[in-house]
Amino acid sequence: FSVNRYPAPAKWYDRRDAVFVEFCVEDSRDVKVNFEKSKLDFSCVSGTDNVKHQNEIELFGEIDPKESKHRRTDRSVLCCVRKAEPGKTWLRLTKAKAKCNWLSLDFNNWKDWENDSDEDLSGFDKFSEVSKDIKGVHESGDSDDDRKYLHYFSSLYVVLFSNTGCLMADESLRSALNLLVHFSETPDLE
């Protein structure tokens, strides 16, 4: 009599000192997480159907097993996997380059931290540079309405940047700013 175990769906993201892996299993019980120098083992039973999950991951890089931890919630199990070499980027979670159908990037938490000196400020700086190039938008000659629209748009852009963790392509940003300038020059219809 053999027991079937299925990989738990998981998302991951990279940070300077750690890699985070979230196993998306609701109502998990009997959770076991074992951290080894280059391996992560996860197992649990989940849901009312008592589905047995097991994931054995040969990791991309080495970790500090003693400093790695996990936390269980009703909806998932989040693992904070401490890197043995902080500051080294992990290109993927697994050692093997093969795609795992149960594993995906956590785009909501992903962030390009390598070149960040002031965390999320780099996105706002990029916005500022591009906005200076837009026809009709000059810092010294903006009307109050232009400043209001630009302030609103820059706030929206910073929110989008911090929520997605990535920058809009320059061309998309230029198009959006051109549209914004066009509407700021159009009289209000009341």
Side-chain angles (χ1 to χ4, degrees):
F1 177 103
S2 73
V3 177
N4 288 335
R5 292 191 174 259
Y6 304 96
K11 308 184 284 188
W12 79 282
Y13 60 98
D14 185 32
R15 286 292 194 270
R16 188 175 311 281
D17 299 329
V19 172
F20 292 84
V21 183
E22 182 176 17
F23 294 97
C24 305
V25 287
E26 292 188 18
D27 301 323
S28 59
R29 313 179 286 294
D30 302 329
V31 174
K32 293 183 179 94
V33 180
N34 185 32
F35 300 103
E36 296 177 22
K37 194 162 188 80
S38 60
K39 188 177 179 182
L40 167 63
D41 288 324
F42 170 82
S43 65
C44 75
V45 177
S46 72
T48 56
D49 297 343
N50 294 322
V51 177
K52 292 175 176 34
H53 294 284
Q54 184 167 6
N55 299 64
E56 293 180 12
I57 307 169
E58 292 290 331
L59 298 168
F60 178 78
E62 291 189 355
I63 65 169
D64 183 348
K66 292 179 182 175
E67 293 297 317
S68 298
K69 300 177 180 1
H70 74 280
R71 183 185 68 208
R72 183 203 161 279
T73 67
D74 289 340
R75 302 192 67 104
S76 67
V77 177
L78 180 65
C79 298
C80 174
V81 183
R82 291 284 174 186
K83 295 178 181 179
E85 294 181 54
K88 184 176 179 183
T89 302
W90 283 27
L91 303 176
R92 58 188 172 276
L93 180 65
T94 61
K95 185 175 187 173
K97 291 183 180 181
K99 171 119 175 78
C100 301
N101 62 357
W102 52 267
L103 182 63
S104 64
L105 283 174
D106 186 346
F107 288 106
N108 290 331
N109 289 305
W110 190 268
K111 181 170 116 174
D112 183 16
W113 53 262
E114 283 182 310
N115 299 322
D116 284 354
S117 56
D118 292 332
E119 296 298 308
D120 288 337
L121 291 179
S122 61
F124 188 78
D125 292 342
K126 186 158 181 83
F127 166 78
S128 297
E129 288 174 23
V130 173
S131 67
K132 288 177 188 174
D133 296 337
I134 303 300
K135 180 182 176 192
V137 178
H138 303 286
E139 290 179 5
S140 60
D142 289 344
S143 70
D144 287 341
D145 283 342
D146 289 343
R147 281 192 207 104
K148 179 177 70 175
Y149 286 117
L150 284 173
H151 175 72
Y152 169 77
F153 187 76
S154 64
S155 299
L156 178 64
Y157 178 71
V158 169
V159 168
L160 285 173
F161 175 75
S162 63
N163 286 340
T164 62
C166 59
L167 293 171
M168 295 168 61
D170 284 351
E171 202 53 45
S172 298
L173 183 57
R174 281 192 174 84
S175 299
L177 283 171
N178 278 326
L179 188 61
L180 178 68
V181 169
H182 170 74
F183 282 116
S184 70
E185 293 171 352
T186 306
D188 290 336
L189 301 175
E190 292 184 24

